């Protein structure tokens, strides 16, 4: 679950950077889906989405494909550390002729194993 680190809603085209690492290993962009408002997108589908918005009070969710995971597996290991760098283009704040790029980073520590429904 990811919250918008800005005080106003932004179009999905504003999502510039999603760098995710799990236990120190970078997750390739093609293995990450971005979900907001009940709609799921690959990261490369976000830049043209000027017509869909991420609202301040709504969470986005990152879905990660787990290489080698069996379909229908009942448990997956929960990582001990997840790090996310999220970069947002602020379209109405130009800096040298381009939108301001705001970058936030968060690291979360977690525990053992968790059942997957």
């Amino acid at each position: 679950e990811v919250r918008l680190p800005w005080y106003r809603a932004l179009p999905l085209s504003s999502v510039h950077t999603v760098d995710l690492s799990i236990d120190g290993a970078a997750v390739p962009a093609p293995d990450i889906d971005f979900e907001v408002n009940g709609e799921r997108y690959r990261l490369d589908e976000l830049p043209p989405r000027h017509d869909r918005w991420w609202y301040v009070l709504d969470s986005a969710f990152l879905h990660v494909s787990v290489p080698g995971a069996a379909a229908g597996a009942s448990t997956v290991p929960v990582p001990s550390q997840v790090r996310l760098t999220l970069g947002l283009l602020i379209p109405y704040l130009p800096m040298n002729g381009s939108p301001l790029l705001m970058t936030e980073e968060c690291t979360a520590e977690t525990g053992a194993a968790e059942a997957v429904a």
Side-chain angles (χ1 to χ4, degrees), residues 22-23 75-82 108-116:
I22 299 174
D23 292 334
T75 62
V76 295
V78 172
S80 60
Q81 185 184 73
V82 177
E109 304 288 332
T110 62
E114 162 180 304
V116 176

Side-chain angles (χ1 to χ4, degrees), residues 17-31:
T17 307
V18 177
D19 289 332
L20 183 65
S21 66
I22 299 174
D23 292 334
V27 178
D31 292 345

Side-chain angles (χ1 to χ4, degrees), residues 24-104:
V27 178
D31 292 345
I32 303 170
D33 285 346
F34 187 92
E35 179 184 341
V36 68
N37 302 322
E39 296 180 3
R40 199 162 162 168
Y41 306 91
R42 292 186 323 268
L43 296 181
D44 64 355
E45 294 176 315
L46 296 175
R49 298 315 311 234
H50 302 279
D51 60 337
R52 298 287 191 263
W53 289 75
W54 185 4
Y55 296 97
V56 175
L57 296 178
D58 295 339
S59 295
F61 299 89
L62 298 180
H63 299 273
V64 177
S65 299
V66 179
S74 60
T75 62
V76 295
V78 172
S80 60
Q81 185 184 73
V82 177
R83 174 172 285 177
L84 171 66
T85 301
L86 180 67
L88 299 170
L89 294 170
I90 311 302
Y92 46 84
L93 291 179
M95 297 293 290
N96 300 321
S98 297
L100 172 69
L101 174 60
M102 181 190 70
T103 304
E104 294 288 332

